[in-house]
Amino acid sequence: MPSVCFYFHVHQPVRLKRFSLFDIGREPGYFDEKKNAEILRKVAQKCYYPANNLILELIERFEGRFKVSYSVSGVFLDQAMDYEPKIIESFQRLANTGCVEFLSETYYHSLASLYSEEEFFEQVLDHMLLIARLFGQVPNVFRNTELVYFDYLAHLIKRFHFKAVLCEGWDAILGWRSPNFVYETQGFPVKLLLKNYRLSDDIAFRFSNKDWKGWPLTADKFANWVHSINGSGQVINLFMDYETFGEHQWENTGVFNFMRHLPAAILRHPDVDFVTVSEEADRYHPVGTLSMPYPVSWADTERDLSAWLGNEMQQATIKAVYALEEKVKDTRDLELLKTWRQLQTSDHFYYMCTKWFNDGDVHKYFNAYERPHDAYIYFTNVLVDFIDRVEDFLAGMKVANKQQEAPRIVFEAPVADLNIPVPGIDLPVPGVELPNAVARQLGQVGRAQ
């Protein structure tokens, strides 16, 4: 019988203000802190607190036989620490059970893997440091933003010696093969853990749909679907947004009650168990290799990048953002660097999506604006203002003759008191300029035996 692996992604973007043309050069801040705090607290009450309490209850009830994995964006964690720190405490209680694993991802939920190797590398390092500091774990499995995977990503993450990477089990890639097996990347060998999108989406998207032939979905019914895979798979990877519970599927749909009874229903079969992503990678040998020469994501019916890069507005703005990398890092200014990275968050470009057919309802639900063109206008205005700020800063440096050599300061975290080793990270990394501050931090962590 296969193992069951629950993986949840936790993320909330920092939303922009309605930044008008007349705000350029006048408005000091770009982000709607009031709105961001309001949304985070609302979702915390509907999802994060009740869902975390339920997961903790299940872990304790089944005495560690129930396990889950999380990927929590740095953008989310920053907001939680600023607006609702008790959320962090609730995740720390889960971490302390020994039945919860935290994955690595890009700190700012960005598409840096497509545009800048250096920036991708630095964001992953920053995120690993934050997870270690908050939850006492060093991630050894990677999940890219929006589950984007392509062959070259294996080359990028090999520098961290991750044992596995998550990706979508998409039919167009798998062909006759099943997502219920562990595979291996082409080239540099990293295990590929594939989402069973049919069973995952039964919970994440179809649970409350009364027109769906599987409605109403009960724990026993879903467990029978899991048990039916007996003999035809190693694992069943149920990957979904954590906001499925209470936010996308409201409490009155019965989704919490469904989850409360699901582990018992699945564990009725004596050969079934729950595993974290690392346990899955350790236990099962790959049955073959998979190649994805072009990026595959978990979004929309196409499973490609069109949700973020499908039109000229999206393509132009994201290219303009990454074109600023050298200048922003030359400023060696932490505030400008953080703002630039916040502008990389993929949600900004998702809001500009103009696909309104099969995926229209999904894009409308997640959009912070009435029209995608509004998202483009506000983002462009912010970008124009930010470019002016960067240029003015560099001009001031030149006038003050401050262009002497200095290390790039990318991340300063209080990690000296950590007692956690970071095994297997190559220092220095060939082909990538490792910021001195980060190198020192990883050196401190690695020596703290």
Side-chain angles (χ1 to χ4, degrees):
M1 286 293 289
S3 298
V4 176
C5 181
F6 266 112
Y7 153 78
F8 302 116
H9 185 242
V10 188
H11 170 64
Q12 285 294 328
V14 285
R15 297 159 185 85
L16 295 174
K17 293 178 179 177
R18 267 55 175 176
F19 201 92
S20 76
L21 182 67
F22 301 103
D23 292 323
I24 297 175
R26 299 179 180 179
E27 177 60 39
Y30 301 142
F31 303 103
D32 193 337
E33 294 189 15
K34 181 179 178 181
K35 187 71 172 178
N36 289 326
E38 175 187 308
I39 291 175
L40 184 74
R41 290 172 179 143
K42 181 198 76 170
V43 181
Q45 296 303 320
K46 294 177 66 177
C47 170
Y48 305 133
Y49 288 132
N52 282 3
N53 290 339
L54 176 57
I55 297 299
L56 183 61
E57 171 193 325
L58 293 172
I59 290 171
E60 292 174 346
R61 183 196 309 170
F62 292 99
E63 299 178 335
R65 296 173 63 201
F66 179 69
K67 303 175 182 181
V68 300
S69 302
Y70 291 97
S71 178
V72 188
S73 74
V75 177
F76 170 86
L77 292 170
D78 284 346
Q79 293 182 83
M81 287 186 283
D82 287 341
Y83 308 135
E84 193 74 9
K86 289 185 178 180
I87 298 176
I88 303 294
E89 295 174 11
S90 69
F91 277 107
Q92 288 171 334
R93 286 192 290 272
L94 291 176
N96 292 337
T97 65
C99 297
V100 170
E101 178 179 355
F102 289 88
L103 284 71
S104 173
E105 65 168 73
T106 59
Y107 194 105
Y108 290 90
H109 197 67
S110 73
L111 298 174
S113 62
L114 303 169
Y115 290 92
S116 169
E117 291 188 23
E118 177 183 313
E119 177 62 15
F120 172 79
F121 185 72
E122 292 175 358
Q123 284 198 31
V124 174
L125 279 177
D126 287 356
H127 186 263
M128 292 176 72
L129 288 168
L130 185 62
I131 295 299
R133 177 163 66 93
L134 292 179
F135 305 118
Q137 297 184 18
V138 177
N140 54 29
V141 174
F142 185 72
R143 183 263 192 195
N144 201 15
T145 302
E146 301 297 340
L147 223 62
V148 170
Y149 178 79
F150 51 105
D151 289 340
Y152 193 70
L153 186 67
H155 165 75
L156 294 179
I157 65 173
K158 74 180 181 182
R159 296 163 178 172
F160 299 93
H161 297 268
F162 292 124
K163 64 177 65 174
V165 58
L166 308 190
C167 59
E168 177 77 358
W170 185 226
D171 299 334
I173 297 296
L174 287 173
W176 56 268
R177 291 166 291 195
S178 167
N180 300 325
F181 290 90
V182 173
Y183 295 88
E184 196 169 57
T185 64
Q186 281 206 330
F188 186 81
V190 178
K191 290 183 179 179
L192 282 172
L193 312 184
L194 306 184
K195 172 187 171 186
N196 184 315
Y197 74 85
R198 290 184 175 87
L199 289 178
S200 299
D201 292 353
D202 286 343
I203 301 173
F205 294 106
R206 290 183 281 273
F207 184 84
S208 59
N209 182 1
K210 295 182 179 180
D211 294 327
W212 173 44
K213 64 180 181 181
W215 189 88
L217 183 59
T218 65
D220 287 337
K221 182 187 294 185
F222 193 87
N224 287 335
W225 295 344
V226 170
H227 296 157
S228 69
I229 298 176
N230 183 19
S232 59
Q234 299 167 322
V235 292
I236 300 173
N237 290 316
L238 303 174
F239 299 170
M240 63 196 75
D241 287 330
Y242 203 33
E243 293 80 12
T244 294
F245 300 99
E247 176 65 13
H248 304 163
Q249 305 293 339
W250 290 1
E251 182 181 8
N252 61 14
T253 65
V255 69
F256 286 105
N257 195 47
F258 165 81
M259 191 66 190
R260 181 170 283 107
H261 292 93
L262 185 59
I266 288 177
L267 290 171
R268 285 194 191 110
H269 197 294
D271 296 330
V272 179
D273 67 351
F274 289 94
V275 294
T276 65
V277 287
S278 284
E279 290 174 335
E280 176 181 336
D282 290 338
R283 181 182 301 182
Y284 295 107
H285 295 290
V287 298
T289 60
L290 278 179
S291 175
M292 302 186 194
Y294 303 104
V296 175
S297 77
W298 70 353
D300 299 347
T301 56
E302 300 91 347
R303 301 301 201 281
D304 57 13
L305 300 176
S306 57
W308 307 275
L309 302 174
N311 63 49
E312 293 182 359
M313 294 186 298
Q314 296 168 308
Q315 295 163 14
T317 49
I318 198 168
K319 288 179 181 177
V321 168
Y322 282 100
L324 290 171
E325 179 175 4
E326 184 176 356
K327 288 186 176 181
V328 171
K329 292 181 178 178
D330 282 345
T331 68
R332 300 187 287 278
D333 183 82
L334 290 176
E335 182 181 350
L336 289 175
L337 179 65
K338 181 177 180 179
T339 299
W340 175 67
R341 286 178 166 164
Q342 288 173 323
L343 294 176
Q344 294 179 40
T345 300
S346 64
D347 303 72
H348 300 308
F349 312 103
Y350 187 89
Y351 296 149
M352 301 177 198
C353 184
T354 51
K355 296 193 303 179
W356 299 115
F357 300 99
N358 293 333
D359 305 312
D361 291 340
V362 175
H363 286 280
K364 288 178 183 177
Y365 181 86
F366 290 111
N367 205 320
Y369 305 93
E370 293 182 4
R371 304 181 310 141
H373 296 82
D374 293 336
Y376 171 73
I377 291 169
Y378 295 131
F379 189 90
T380 301
N381 290 338
V382 165
L383 195 57
V384 169
D385 188 271
F386 181 71
I387 291 172
D388 287 344
R389 285 176 58 195
V390 172
E391 295 289 355
D392 288 346
F393 193 100
L394 290 173
M397 288 176 62
K398 188 174 182 180
V399 169
N401 196 26
K402 294 182 179 179
Q403 297 237 19
Q404 70 273 18
E405 289 293 322
R408 288 177 178 169
I409 301 176
V410 176
F411 186 88
E412 291 290 355
V415 299
D417 58 341
L418 283 176
N419 191 29
I420 305 165
V422 180
I425 297 180
D426 295 330
L427 297 176
V429 178
V432 175
E433 178 185 352
L434 188 65
N436 291 345
V438 174
R440 287 196 300 272
Q441 290 158 14
L442 282 178
Q444 290 170 348
V445 177
R447 289 193 299 270
Q449 300 292 337

